[in-house]
Amino acid sequence: MAREASQAARELGVDIKYFQRHLGVLPHDYTGIDTSRLTFAGFCIQALDLLGALETSSTEAQRADWIEWTYAMQIHPSAKPQSTAANDYDGSHITMTYAALVVLLTLGDDLSRVNKDAIVNFFASCDSPERDMRFVFCACAISFILADWRGVDIPRAFDFIRKSKTYDHGFAQTPGQESHGGSTFCALASLYLMGELRDGATVDFKRTRAWLINRQDSGFHGRVNKPSDTCYAFWVGGSLEILGSHQAFVNVDSLNAFLAETHSSYGGYSKHSDDYPDVMHSYMGFASRALCRDSLVGRLFAPLNISQRAFAHCRQLGLGQSPSGAESQATH
Amino acid sequence: MPFSASDWKDVVPVPQDDGVQPLAPIAYAQEYTEAMDLFRAVLLSGEKSARVLELTAFIIEANSSHYTAWKYRLDTVRALGSPLEDELKFVEEVAFETPKSYQLWPYRQAISDQLNQPQREIDFVGRILALDSKNYHAWAYRQHIVSKYDLWDSELEYIDGLLRDDVRNNSAWNQRFFVVSRRPAEFTAADLDAEVAYALSHIQKAPHNESAWNYLRGQASHCAVLLAARAHLLTVAAESCLS
């Protein structure tokens, strides 16, 4: 036992270093993530949190600076940029707003400097043809975290989700598209956060669960007849978790065998066994282990994709609420 | 596409201020830093010009997810009235480099919606799907073009070809469901028979193919009026499976 435990600690050690390294200076090959550095950094910080290493791998002063850096990305309504902070010149971006809130919560910030009115007004301005399930999820996650749902037209979001259900009971990114593990997660999580997740016409729990369970071969794939990919162990596993079915239906041994193949001896997970690891798949690998109640990894609050620790902090702030009066069917 | 710094001597670059302790800072290539410093200056001045097109092209080629650069490029193209044909060529180059990038698709749509050349767009998506017949963004765009220009009939032929290559291509099965359920013609009992027969003939080729079974089940519940046909259909399915 002792030998196993020390082996596990060694394994995590290499992963902790992997995530620490990616918070530091990155080579120019990473220019492609320049506009999503918040998401990228968020994956590292959240992974360190799940690995119980956030406070041992950084100093309090560093974390305070990271909070400042994240707030510097906030765009307040004004005609011109106020500073030359990294992304201040870019327009607001709903995914980055979600990522920023997750980073702030994970770092223990109280969100007191978040400009809620600006976010609500920004949602209202987002009524473009570029609607898809990811953005519905981000809008719901942001509104839930801030316990402020003024920016979401709930009947309309609900209708969009309903129309995006496909003939095989998975959910697609937009109505008519192919069912997809990522959009199914976004759909179920959005319904849960809105307090609208109930077994019935919009989600037939039994049929959607069947679609999800069929996504596991050894690991999970995201679409019918596609190969396993590390990140779907989270997207599909998280969907099953939201339906209260993860523990009963996921074959954890087989998933662990797959994850052992995509894990790198230098730390991190890759998409497939023959790829190099990357930060997104590395985080998702650990998030999926959290859903499996892996004893080396912290617990996850699946609907927001944040640690239970960060979620508890959010609730302590009096935040993290569905719209008043709405409540999802108890699933877990 | 290189941009030439000598064209920008009149502009004072605006460097990036990443604060004291940035998260995941990138050691950008010198040229990218120069381009971004100028781009920030352009965003401040609101300049819309030919050299801005060169500059945004350079930035997008370095980072095809640069949504601000895409948006500013679109604004510039519209302000200058520059040839939309050139933009289609530009998008195609980016698409071949990074076909999974999301941002290029809404840009393509913004341009092509103005040009109204459906066949050209179908050909373009066809070339991208030839690289990866399950590219999710490409299929979304294809659905947009098919619906906008009523290209329902020719779509079924295309899907047949894809399923001949790979009977397990679930994207193609989904596209068939999309066409059959959304084309303006009413869905009749004869259509149901045809779709059931289509699914069954493919199930016989590969009995464990989940895509074809899902399609069959989907068609079975497709039309409430035709529910009576369901019992019949399941008998046929069972027989076909056992035979």
PDB file of all heavy atoms in Angstrom, chain A residues 23 26 28 32 34 37 69 80 84-85 90 176-178 215 223 225, chain B residues 17-18 23-25 27-28 32 44 68 134 136 143 170-171 209-211:
ATOM      1  N   LEU A  23       1.809  27.687 -16.594  1.00  0.00           N
ATOM      2  CA  LEU A  23       1.413  29.032 -16.134  1.00  0.00           C
ATOM      3  C   LEU A  23       2.550  30.015 -16.333  1.00  0.00           C
ATOM      4  O   LEU A  23       2.372  31.224 -16.255  1.00  0.00           O
ATOM      5  CB  LEU A  23       1.021  28.994 -14.653  1.00  0.00           C
ATOM      6  CG  LEU A  23      -0.345  28.374 -14.340  1.00  0.00           C
ATOM      7  CD1 LEU A  23      -0.528  28.226 -12.839  1.00  0.00           C
ATOM      8  CD2 LEU A  23      -1.463  29.215 -14.933  1.00  0.00           C
ATOM      9  N   LEU A  26       5.460  30.727 -22.015  1.00  0.00           N
ATOM     10  CA  LEU A  26       5.259  29.698 -23.036  1.00  0.00           C
ATOM     11  C   LEU A  26       6.009  30.081 -24.301  1.00  0.00           C
ATOM     12  O   LEU A  26       6.109  31.260 -24.637  1.00  0.00           O
ATOM     13  CB  LEU A  26       3.770  29.593 -23.374  1.00  0.00           C
ATOM     14  CG  LEU A  26       2.832  29.296 -22.198  1.00  0.00           C
ATOM     15  CD1 LEU A  26       1.383  29.515 -22.616  1.00  0.00           C
ATOM     16  CD2 LEU A  26       3.029  27.874 -21.711  1.00  0.00           C
ATOM     17  N   HIS A  28       6.736  30.550 -28.399  1.00  0.00           N
ATOM     18  CA  HIS A  28       5.864  31.237 -29.360  1.00  0.00           C
ATOM     19  C   HIS A  28       4.942  30.299 -30.124  1.00  0.00           C
ATOM     20  O   HIS A  28       3.964  30.739 -30.720  1.00  0.00           O
ATOM     21  CB  HIS A  28       6.684  32.115 -30.315  1.00  0.00           C
ATOM     22  CG  HIS A  28       7.511  31.342 -31.281  1.00  0.00           C
ATOM     23  ND1 HIS A  28       6.995  30.837 -32.446  1.00  0.00           N
ATOM     24  CD2 HIS A  28       8.808  30.955 -31.251  1.00  0.00           C
ATOM     25  CE1 HIS A  28       7.946  30.178 -33.098  1.00  0.00           C
ATOM     26  NE2 HIS A  28       9.040  30.237 -32.384  1.00  0.00           N
ATOM     27  N   GLY A  32      -1.244  30.622 -30.994  1.00  0.00           N
ATOM     28  CA  GLY A  32      -2.629  30.281 -31.322  1.00  0.00           C
ATOM     29  C   GLY A  32      -3.586  30.364 -30.146  1.00  0.00           C
ATOM     30  O   GLY A  32      -4.800  30.409 -30.338  1.00  0.00           O
ATOM     31  N   ASP A  34      -3.338  32.853 -27.943  1.00  0.00           N
ATOM     32  CA  ASP A  34      -3.161  34.213 -27.434  1.00  0.00           C
ATOM     33  C   ASP A  34      -4.489  34.836 -26.993  1.00  0.00           C
ATOM     34  O   ASP A  34      -4.545  35.551 -26.004  1.00  0.00           O
ATOM     35  CB  ASP A  34      -2.510  35.080 -28.515  1.00  0.00           C
ATOM     36  CG  ASP A  34      -1.952  36.378 -27.953  1.00  0.00           C
ATOM     37  OD1 ASP A  34      -1.687  36.428 -26.731  1.00  0.00           O
ATOM     38  OD2 ASP A  34      -1.785  37.336 -28.732  1.00  0.00           O
ATOM     39  N   ARG A  37      -5.999  32.953 -23.505  1.00  0.00           N
ATOM     40  CA  ARG A  37      -5.063  32.673 -22.413  1.00  0.00           C
ATOM     41  C   ARG A  37      -5.781  32.467 -21.089  1.00  0.00           C
ATOM     42  O   ARG A  37      -5.334  31.695 -20.244  1.00  0.00           O
ATOM     43  CB  ARG A  37      -4.043  33.814 -22.291  1.00  0.00           C
ATOM     44  CG  ARG A  37      -2.881  33.647 -23.245  1.00  0.00           C
ATOM     45  CD  ARG A  37      -2.007  34.887 -23.262  1.00  0.00           C
ATOM     46  NE  ARG A  37      -1.405  35.172 -21.962  1.00  0.00           N
ATOM     47  CZ  ARG A  37      -0.923  36.378 -21.633  1.00  0.00           C
ATOM     48  NH1 ARG A  37      -0.978  37.381 -22.491  1.00  0.00           N
ATOM     49  NH2 ARG A  37      -0.383  36.559 -20.447  1.00  0.00           N
ATOM     50  N   TRP A  69      -4.417  40.305 -12.561  1.00  0.00           N
ATOM     51  CA  TRP A  69      -4.281  40.118 -14.013  1.00  0.00           C
ATOM     52  C   TRP A  69      -5.639  39.773 -14.622  1.00  0.00           C
ATOM     53  O   TRP A  69      -6.017  40.278 -15.680  1.00  0.00           O
ATOM     54  CB  TRP A  69      -3.265  39.004 -14.291  1.00  0.00           C
ATOM     55  CG  TRP A  69      -2.986  38.779 -15.757  1.00  0.00           C
ATOM     56  CD1 TRP A  69      -2.137  39.504 -16.546  1.00  0.00           C
ATOM     57  CD2 TRP A  69      -3.559  37.775 -16.598  1.00  0.00           C
ATOM     58  NE1 TRP A  69      -2.147  38.999 -17.832  1.00  0.00           N
ATOM     59  CE2 TRP A  69      -3.009  37.945 -17.891  1.00  0.00           C
ATOM     60  CE3 TRP A  69      -4.475  36.747 -16.392  1.00  0.00           C
ATOM     61  CZ2 TRP A  69      -3.343  37.122 -18.968  1.00  0.00           C
ATOM     62  CZ3 TRP A  69      -4.818  35.930 -17.457  1.00  0.00           C
ATOM     63  CH2 TRP A  69      -4.246  36.114 -18.743  1.00  0.00           C
ATOM     64  N   LYS A  80     -13.381  53.799 -25.189  1.00  0.00           N
ATOM     65  CA  LYS A  80     -12.024  53.398 -25.564  1.00  0.00           C
ATOM     66  C   LYS A  80     -11.411  52.536 -24.469  1.00  0.00           C
ATOM     67  O   LYS A  80     -11.771  52.644 -23.303  1.00  0.00           O
ATOM     68  CB  LYS A  80     -11.138  54.650 -25.727  1.00  0.00           C
ATOM     69  CG  LYS A  80     -11.530  55.511 -26.906  1.00  0.00           C
ATOM     70  CD  LYS A  80     -10.984  54.953 -28.205  1.00  0.00           C
ATOM     71  CE  LYS A  80     -11.400  55.846 -29.372  1.00  0.00           C
ATOM     72  NZ  LYS A  80     -11.173  55.204 -30.656  1.00  0.00           N
ATOM     73  N   THR A  84      -3.590  49.187 -21.484  1.00  0.00           N
ATOM     74  CA  THR A  84      -3.090  48.346 -22.563  1.00  0.00           C
ATOM     75  C   THR A  84      -2.894  46.915 -22.074  1.00  0.00           C
ATOM     76  O   THR A  84      -2.001  46.212 -22.492  1.00  0.00           O
ATOM     77  CB  THR A  84      -1.770  48.903 -23.128  1.00  0.00           C
ATOM     78  OG1 THR A  84      -0.891  49.158 -22.034  1.00  0.00           O
ATOM     79  CG2 THR A  84      -1.991  50.157 -23.911  1.00  0.00           C
ATOM     80  N   ALA A  85      -3.722  46.495 -21.136  1.00  0.00           N
ATOM     81  CA  ALA A  85      -3.659  45.120 -20.652  1.00  0.00           C
ATOM     82  C   ALA A  85      -3.853  44.154 -21.821  1.00  0.00           C
ATOM     83  O   ALA A  85      -4.479  44.499 -22.824  1.00  0.00           O
ATOM     84  CB  ALA A  85      -4.729  44.882 -19.608  1.00  0.00           C
ATOM     85  N   ASP A  90      -9.619  43.578 -27.105  1.00  0.00           N
ATOM     86  CA  ASP A  90     -10.567  42.675 -27.715  1.00  0.00           C
ATOM     87  C   ASP A  90     -11.956  42.983 -27.179  1.00  0.00           C
ATOM     88  O   ASP A  90     -12.102  43.501 -26.093  1.00  0.00           O
ATOM     89  CB  ASP A  90     -10.204  41.219 -27.391  1.00  0.00           C
ATOM     90  CG  ASP A  90      -8.863  40.839 -27.995  1.00  0.00           C
ATOM     91  OD1 ASP A  90      -8.594  41.319 -29.105  1.00  0.00           O
ATOM     92  OD2 ASP A  90      -8.103  40.113 -27.347  1.00  0.00           O
ATOM     93  N   GLY A 176     -30.426  20.736 -35.561  1.00  0.00           N
ATOM     94  CA  GLY A 176     -30.174  20.101 -36.851  1.00  0.00           C
ATOM     95  C   GLY A 176     -28.819  19.425 -36.942  1.00  0.00           C
ATOM     96  O   GLY A 176     -28.608  18.531 -37.747  1.00  0.00           O
ATOM     97  N   GLN A 177     -27.867  19.860 -36.104  1.00  0.00           N
ATOM     98  CA  GLN A 177     -26.533  19.253 -36.182  1.00  0.00           C
ATOM     99  C   GLN A 177     -26.501  17.900 -35.479  1.00  0.00           C
ATOM    100  O   GLN A 177     -27.461  17.491 -34.830  1.00  0.00           O
ATOM    101  CB  GLN A 177     -25.511  20.202 -35.565  1.00  0.00           C
ATOM    102  CG  GLN A 177     -25.047  21.287 -36.512  1.00  0.00           C
ATOM    103  CD  GLN A 177     -23.788  21.955 -35.981  1.00  0.00           C
ATOM    104  OE1 GLN A 177     -23.850  22.933 -35.262  1.00  0.00           O
ATOM    105  NE2 GLN A 177     -22.643  21.403 -36.336  1.00  0.00           N
ATOM    106  N   GLU A 178     -25.342  17.265 -35.606  1.00  0.00           N
ATOM    107  CA  GLU A 178     -25.140  15.930 -35.054  1.00  0.00           C
ATOM    108  C   GLU A 178     -24.996  15.983 -33.525  1.00  0.00           C
ATOM    109  O   GLU A 178     -24.398  16.918 -32.991  1.00  0.00           O
ATOM    110  CB  GLU A 178     -23.839  15.391 -35.682  1.00  0.00           C
ATOM    111  CG  GLU A 178     -23.456  13.993 -35.322  1.00  0.00           C
ATOM    112  CD  GLU A 178     -22.103  13.619 -35.947  1.00  0.00           C
ATOM    113  OE1 GLU A 178     -21.443  14.486 -36.568  1.00  0.00           O
ATOM    114  OE2 GLU A 178     -21.712  12.446 -35.789  1.00  0.00           O
ATOM    115  N   ARG A 215     -21.406   5.900 -25.342  1.00  0.00           N
ATOM    116  CA  ARG A 215     -20.206   6.625 -25.768  1.00  0.00           C
ATOM    117  C   ARG A 215     -18.942   6.044 -25.144  1.00  0.00           C
ATOM    118  O   ARG A 215     -17.848   6.443 -25.475  1.00  0.00           O
ATOM    119  CB  ARG A 215     -20.297   8.137 -25.426  1.00  0.00           C
ATOM    120  CG  ARG A 215     -21.514   8.863 -26.000  1.00  0.00           C
ATOM    121  CD  ARG A 215     -21.435   9.141 -27.488  1.00  0.00           C
ATOM    122  NE  ARG A 215     -21.351   7.978 -28.334  1.00  0.00           N
ATOM    123  CZ  ARG A 215     -22.378   7.174 -28.651  1.00  0.00           C
ATOM    124  NH1 ARG A 215     -23.587   7.384 -28.198  1.00  0.00           N
ATOM    125  NH2 ARG A 215     -22.194   6.146 -29.445  1.00  0.00           N
ATOM    126  N   ARG A 223     -18.821  11.503 -30.337  1.00  0.00           N
ATOM    127  CA  ARG A 223     -19.876  11.322 -31.331  1.00  0.00           C
ATOM    128  C   ARG A 223     -19.904   9.851 -31.721  1.00  0.00           C
ATOM    129  O   ARG A 223     -18.875   9.172 -31.663  1.00  0.00           O
ATOM    130  CB  ARG A 223     -19.589  12.181 -32.578  1.00  0.00           C
ATOM    131  CG  ARG A 223     -19.794  13.657 -32.339  1.00  0.00           C
ATOM    132  CD  ARG A 223     -19.648  14.424 -33.648  1.00  0.00           C
ATOM    133  NE  ARG A 223     -18.304  14.951 -33.843  1.00  0.00           N
ATOM    134  CZ  ARG A 223     -17.834  15.365 -35.011  1.00  0.00           C
ATOM    135  NH1 ARG A 223     -18.585  15.287 -36.095  1.00  0.00           N
ATOM    136  NH2 ARG A 223     -16.618  15.853 -35.118  1.00  0.00           N
ATOM    137  N   ASN A 225     -19.523   6.479 -33.340  1.00  0.00           N
ATOM    138  CA  ASN A 225     -18.524   5.922 -34.265  1.00  0.00           C
ATOM    139  C   ASN A 225     -17.251   6.755 -34.416  1.00  0.00           C
ATOM    140  O   ASN A 225     -16.571   6.683 -35.445  1.00  0.00           O
ATOM    141  CB  ASN A 225     -19.132   5.667 -35.665  1.00  0.00           C
ATOM    142  CG  ASN A 225     -20.024   4.433 -35.674  1.00  0.00           C
ATOM    143  OD1 ASN A 225     -19.760   3.471 -34.959  1.00  0.00           O
ATOM    144  ND2 ASN A 225     -21.082   4.471 -36.468  1.00  0.00           N
TER     145      ASN A 225
ATOM    146  N   ASP B  17       0.632  45.572 -22.371  1.00  0.00           N
ATOM    147  CA  ASP B  17       0.972  45.680 -20.952  1.00  0.00           C
ATOM    148  C   ASP B  17       0.360  44.483 -20.256  1.00  0.00           C
ATOM    149  O   ASP B  17      -0.849  44.410 -20.070  1.00  0.00           O
ATOM    150  CB  ASP B  17       0.396  46.987 -20.390  1.00  0.00           C
ATOM    151  CG  ASP B  17       0.553  47.063 -18.876  1.00  0.00           C
ATOM    152  OD1 ASP B  17       1.195  46.159 -18.289  1.00  0.00           O
ATOM    153  OD2 ASP B  17       0.021  48.008 -18.279  1.00  0.00           O
ATOM    154  N   ASP B  18       1.206  43.538 -19.874  1.00  0.00           N
ATOM    155  CA  ASP B  18       0.698  42.294 -19.317  1.00  0.00           C
ATOM    156  C   ASP B  18       0.708  42.295 -17.790  1.00  0.00           C
ATOM    157  O   ASP B  18       0.486  41.269 -17.157  1.00  0.00           O
ATOM    158  CB  ASP B  18       1.525  41.118 -19.859  1.00  0.00           C
ATOM    159  CG  ASP B  18       0.649  39.974 -20.329  1.00  0.00           C
ATOM    160  OD1 ASP B  18      -0.577  40.059 -20.139  1.00  0.00           O
ATOM    161  OD2 ASP B  18       1.194  38.985 -20.866  1.00  0.00           O
ATOM    162  N   LEU B  23      -0.528  35.557 -16.286  1.00  0.00           N
ATOM    163  CA  LEU B  23      -0.728  34.114 -16.369  1.00  0.00           C
ATOM    164  C   LEU B  23      -0.407  33.661 -17.784  1.00  0.00           C
ATOM    165  O   LEU B  23      -0.838  34.294 -18.757  1.00  0.00           O
ATOM    166  CB  LEU B  23      -2.182  33.776 -16.034  1.00  0.00           C
ATOM    167  CG  LEU B  23      -2.533  33.779 -14.546  1.00  0.00           C
ATOM    168  CD1 LEU B  23      -4.042  33.805 -14.359  1.00  0.00           C
ATOM    169  CD2 LEU B  23      -1.935  32.570 -13.849  1.00  0.00           C
ATOM    170  N   ALA B  24       0.321  32.555 -17.879  1.00  0.00           N
ATOM    171  CA  ALA B  24       0.632  31.952 -19.172  1.00  0.00           C
ATOM    172  C   ALA B  24       1.074  32.970 -20.235  1.00  0.00           C
ATOM    173  O   ALA B  24       0.509  33.030 -21.323  1.00  0.00           O
ATOM    174  CB  ALA B  24      -0.584  31.153 -19.678  1.00  0.00           C
ATOM    175  N   PRO B  25       2.071  33.797 -19.921  1.00  0.00           N
ATOM    176  CA  PRO B  25       2.557  34.737 -20.952  1.00  0.00           C
ATOM    177  C   PRO B  25       3.225  33.968 -22.091  1.00  0.00           C
ATOM    178  O   PRO B  25       3.768  32.896 -21.873  1.00  0.00           O
ATOM    179  CB  PRO B  25       3.585  35.576 -20.204  1.00  0.00           C
ATOM    180  CG  PRO B  25       4.047  34.713 -19.081  1.00  0.00           C
ATOM    181  CD  PRO B  25       2.873  33.858 -18.688  1.00  0.00           C
ATOM    182  N   ALA B  27       6.005  33.921 -25.207  1.00  0.00           N
ATOM    183  CA  ALA B  27       7.196  34.559 -25.796  1.00  0.00           C
ATOM    184  C   ALA B  27       6.954  34.664 -27.298  1.00  0.00           C
ATOM    185  O   ALA B  27       7.407  33.834 -28.080  1.00  0.00           O
ATOM    186  CB  ALA B  27       8.441  33.729 -25.505  1.00  0.00           C
ATOM    187  N   TYR B  28       6.179  35.675 -27.691  1.00  0.00           N
ATOM    188  CA  TYR B  28       5.776  35.822 -29.088  1.00  0.00           C
ATOM    189  C   TYR B  28       6.982  35.956 -30.000  1.00  0.00           C
ATOM    190  O   TYR B  28       8.025  36.490 -29.598  1.00  0.00           O
ATOM    191  CB  TYR B  28       4.941  37.103 -29.273  1.00  0.00           C
ATOM    192  CG  TYR B  28       3.736  37.214 -28.381  1.00  0.00           C
ATOM    193  CD1 TYR B  28       3.660  38.224 -27.414  1.00  0.00           C
ATOM    194  CD2 TYR B  28       2.658  36.347 -28.509  1.00  0.00           C
ATOM    195  CE1 TYR B  28       2.547  38.355 -26.596  1.00  0.00           C
ATOM    196  CE2 TYR B  28       1.542  36.469 -27.696  1.00  0.00           C
ATOM    197  CZ  TYR B  28       1.491  37.470 -26.735  1.00  0.00           C
ATOM    198  OH  TYR B  28       0.403  37.590 -25.933  1.00  0.00           O
ATOM    199  N   TYR B  32       5.151  38.886 -34.682  1.00  0.00           N
ATOM    200  CA  TYR B  32       3.787  38.883 -34.133  1.00  0.00           C
ATOM    201  C   TYR B  32       3.630  40.034 -33.138  1.00  0.00           C
ATOM    202  O   TYR B  32       2.623  40.737 -33.138  1.00  0.00           O
ATOM    203  CB  TYR B  32       3.488  37.528 -33.474  1.00  0.00           C
ATOM    204  CG  TYR B  32       2.066  37.409 -32.928  1.00  0.00           C
ATOM    205  CD1 TYR B  32       0.994  37.135 -33.774  1.00  0.00           C
ATOM    206  CD2 TYR B  32       1.809  37.566 -31.559  1.00  0.00           C
ATOM    207  CE1 TYR B  32      -0.310  37.014 -33.278  1.00  0.00           C
ATOM    208  CE2 TYR B  32       0.511  37.449 -31.052  1.00  0.00           C
ATOM    209  CZ  TYR B  32      -0.545  37.169 -31.922  1.00  0.00           C
ATOM    210  OH  TYR B  32      -1.824  37.058 -31.430  1.00  0.00           O
ATOM    211  N   LEU B  44      -7.324  51.732 -31.876  1.00  0.00           N
ATOM    212  CA  LEU B  44      -7.511  53.044 -31.251  1.00  0.00           C
ATOM    213  C   LEU B  44      -7.866  54.114 -32.285  1.00  0.00           C
ATOM    214  O   LEU B  44      -8.736  54.939 -32.072  1.00  0.00           O
ATOM    215  CB  LEU B  44      -6.236  53.480 -30.521  1.00  0.00           C
ATOM    216  CG  LEU B  44      -5.992  52.870 -29.151  1.00  0.00           C
ATOM    217  CD1 LEU B  44      -4.645  53.344 -28.611  1.00  0.00           C
ATOM    218  CD2 LEU B  44      -7.107  53.242 -28.178  1.00  0.00           C
ATOM    219  N   THR B  68     -10.981  39.152 -32.578  1.00  0.00           N
ATOM    220  CA  THR B  68     -10.985  40.600 -32.782  1.00  0.00           C
ATOM    221  C   THR B  68     -10.424  40.954 -34.160  1.00  0.00           C
ATOM    222  O   THR B  68     -10.938  41.832 -34.857  1.00  0.00           O
ATOM    223  CB  THR B  68     -10.165  41.310 -31.683  1.00  0.00           C
ATOM    224  OG1 THR B  68     -10.622  40.816 -30.425  1.00  0.00           O
ATOM    225  CG2 THR B  68     -10.360  42.806 -31.732  1.00  0.00           C
ATOM    226  N   LYS B 134     -15.921  14.468 -40.967  1.00  0.00           N
ATOM    227  CA  LYS B 134     -16.727  14.688 -39.761  1.00  0.00           C
ATOM    228  C   LYS B 134     -16.483  16.067 -39.153  1.00  0.00           C
ATOM    229  O   LYS B 134     -16.808  16.291 -37.991  1.00  0.00           O
ATOM    230  CB  LYS B 134     -16.424  13.586 -38.740  1.00  0.00           C
ATOM    231  CG  LYS B 134     -16.774  12.191 -39.271  1.00  0.00           C
ATOM    232  CD  LYS B 134     -16.462  11.087 -38.277  1.00  0.00           C
ATOM    233  CE  LYS B 134     -16.813   9.722 -38.893  1.00  0.00           C
ATOM    234  NZ  LYS B 134     -16.545   8.617 -37.955  1.00  0.00           N
ATOM    235  N   TYR B 136     -17.082  19.232 -37.710  1.00  0.00           N
ATOM    236  CA  TYR B 136     -18.369  19.683 -37.166  1.00  0.00           C
ATOM    237  C   TYR B 136     -18.771  21.071 -37.679  1.00  0.00           C
ATOM    238  O   TYR B 136     -19.925  21.313 -38.013  1.00  0.00           O
ATOM    239  CB  TYR B 136     -18.271  19.684 -35.637  1.00  0.00           C
ATOM    240  CG  TYR B 136     -19.603  19.529 -34.927  1.00  0.00           C
ATOM    241  CD1 TYR B 136     -20.226  18.286 -34.850  1.00  0.00           C
ATOM    242  CD2 TYR B 136     -20.222  20.617 -34.334  1.00  0.00           C
ATOM    243  CE1 TYR B 136     -21.444  18.134 -34.198  1.00  0.00           C
ATOM    244  CE2 TYR B 136     -21.438  20.467 -33.674  1.00  0.00           C
ATOM    245  CZ  TYR B 136     -22.040  19.224 -33.609  1.00  0.00           C
ATOM    246  OH  TYR B 136     -23.242  19.090 -32.961  1.00  0.00           O
ATOM    247  N   GLN B 143     -25.151  22.891 -43.616  1.00  0.00           N
ATOM    248  CA  GLN B 143     -26.588  22.934 -43.320  1.00  0.00           C
ATOM    249  C   GLN B 143     -27.155  24.332 -43.575  1.00  0.00           C
ATOM    250  O   GLN B 143     -28.271  24.485 -44.080  1.00  0.00           O
ATOM    251  CB  GLN B 143     -26.849  22.514 -41.867  1.00  0.00           C
ATOM    252  CG  GLN B 143     -26.510  21.037 -41.630  1.00  0.00           C
ATOM    253  CD  GLN B 143     -26.996  20.510 -40.292  1.00  0.00           C
ATOM    254  OE1 GLN B 143     -27.271  21.272 -39.369  1.00  0.00           O
ATOM    255  NE2 GLN B 143     -27.083  19.184 -40.175  1.00  0.00           N
ATOM    256  N   ASN B 170     -21.293   8.956 -38.902  1.00  0.00           N
ATOM    257  CA  ASN B 170     -22.514   9.423 -38.241  1.00  0.00           C
ATOM    258  C   ASN B 170     -22.904  10.834 -38.680  1.00  0.00           C
ATOM    259  O   ASN B 170     -24.082  11.189 -38.675  1.00  0.00           O
ATOM    260  CB  ASN B 170     -22.331   9.373 -36.719  1.00  0.00           C
ATOM    261  CG  ASN B 170     -23.653   9.462 -35.990  1.00  0.00           C
ATOM    262  OD1 ASN B 170     -24.521   8.610 -36.154  1.00  0.00           O
ATOM    263  ND2 ASN B 170     -23.829  10.519 -35.212  1.00  0.00           N
ATOM    264  N   SER B 171     -21.901  11.638 -39.075  1.00  0.00           N
ATOM    265  CA  SER B 171     -22.213  12.982 -39.567  1.00  0.00           C
ATOM    266  C   SER B 171     -23.063  12.903 -40.820  1.00  0.00           C
ATOM    267  O   SER B 171     -23.992  13.690 -41.014  1.00  0.00           O
ATOM    268  CB  SER B 171     -20.924  13.745 -39.889  1.00  0.00           C
ATOM    269  OG  SER B 171     -20.069  13.770 -38.771  1.00  0.00           O
ATOM    270  N   ASN B 209     -23.610  -1.379 -36.538  1.00  0.00           N
ATOM    271  CA  ASN B 209     -23.391   0.051 -36.770  1.00  0.00           C
ATOM    272  C   ASN B 209     -24.448   0.881 -36.041  1.00  0.00           C
ATOM    273  O   ASN B 209     -25.596   0.983 -36.470  1.00  0.00           O
ATOM    274  CB  ASN B 209     -23.435   0.306 -38.283  1.00  0.00           C
ATOM    275  CG  ASN B 209     -23.271   1.771 -38.621  1.00  0.00           C
ATOM    276  OD1 ASN B 209     -22.933   2.580 -37.752  1.00  0.00           O
ATOM    277  ND2 ASN B 209     -23.520   2.108 -39.871  1.00  0.00           N
ATOM    278  N   GLU B 210     -24.036   1.505 -34.936  1.00  0.00           N
ATOM    279  CA  GLU B 210     -24.985   2.266 -34.107  1.00  0.00           C
ATOM    280  C   GLU B 210     -25.651   3.401 -34.892  1.00  0.00           C
ATOM    281  O   GLU B 210     -26.821   3.720 -34.683  1.00  0.00           O
ATOM    282  CB  GLU B 210     -24.246   2.834 -32.881  1.00  0.00           C
ATOM    283  CG  GLU B 210     -25.179   3.486 -31.868  1.00  0.00           C
ATOM    284  CD  GLU B 210     -24.435   4.179 -30.725  1.00  0.00           C
ATOM    285  OE1 GLU B 210     -23.241   3.858 -30.493  1.00  0.00           O
ATOM    286  OE2 GLU B 210     -25.049   5.035 -30.069  1.00  0.00           O
ATOM    287  N   SER B 211     -24.905   4.017 -35.797  1.00  0.00           N
ATOM    288  CA  SER B 211     -25.452   5.142 -36.564  1.00  0.00           C
ATOM    289  C   SER B 211     -26.729   4.750 -37.304  1.00  0.00           C
ATOM    290  O   SER B 211     -27.725   5.466 -37.271  1.00  0.00           O
ATOM    291  CB  SER B 211     -24.430   5.627 -37.595  1.00  0.00           C
ATOM    292  OG  SER B 211     -23.305   6.153 -36.961  1.00  0.00           O
TER     293      SER B 211
END
